[in-house]
Amino acid sequence: MDISSILKKKRSDHKLTQEQLAEKIFVSTKTISNWENNKTTPDIDSLIILAQLFDLSLDNLLLKGSNIVENIKKQSDIRSTKIYLNFATITDLACLFILVTQPIFGNLSLPALIILNLAIISNCAIIIYFGNRLIRLTKNFELANMPREVFRKAILTGVIWGSIIGIVIGIIILFFLYKYLYSYKF
């Protein structure tokens, strides 16, 4: 018996409406509906509250014919991928800030300029990788607050535009670096 059937049965046995159950476990009515229609699965915190409320064993909920453990692992992968993607984006923006503001605060040495350009280009590659990974992870996984297709299109658009902007900035930087190299006296 899957979690949606167990939840429906236990809710009706306890004579609770979806609204009443949602209030007891601090989620929305739509969330309860999604759980009962097998669109999404409860997170671990909600499972613990449900097990206590309905006097169920967590072993039965998690192991017997359930995909909850798999969904929890997938949510964890999505969370860590978002962290890596955000970290790479912030690092890339910091490198771009240093590069753009160097005429104001002082020019960088040639080795530092080369390393900074390589960091920007490699961060663009990392952003593309983790953006694609996030799309793959969320492909068959519906998030509670946002429809899957809207989320995938938003991520894909961000990755594409971020990559294009990163590549264009990288080419501009390399052009100035090339110009700087020829004006540099060895």
Side-chain angles (χ1 to χ4, degrees), residues 70-79 137 140-141:
E70 181 182 318
N71 284 344
I72 290 171
K73 287 179 184 177
K74 204 168 204 180
Q75 285 175 340
S76 175
D77 284 346
I78 288 172
R79 218 173 298 123
L137 286 172
N140 296 319
F141 189 74

Side-chain angles (χ1 to χ4, degrees), residues 40-103:
T40 60
T41 55
D43 61 356
I44 194 70
D45 295 330
S46 298
L47 278 175
I48 292 169
I49 295 171
L50 287 169
Q52 290 172 345
L53 182 67
F54 293 140
D55 196 30
L56 294 169
S57 166
L58 279 176
D59 289 342
N60 290 340
L61 288 175
L62 293 173
L63 301 176
K64 290 188 177 176
S66 176
N67 60 352
I68 293 175
V69 174
E70 181 182 318
N71 284 344
I72 290 171
K73 287 179 184 177
K74 204 168 204 180
Q75 285 175 340
S76 175
D77 284 346
I78 288 172
R79 218 173 298 123
S80 64
T81 301
K82 284 181 179 180
I83 290 170
Y84 294 139
L85 185 62
N86 289 338
F87 182 74
T89 304
I90 290 168
T91 307
D92 208 21
L93 290 173
C95 289
L96 283 171
F97 178 77
I98 292 168
L99 190 67
V100 170
T101 59
Q102 74 163 340

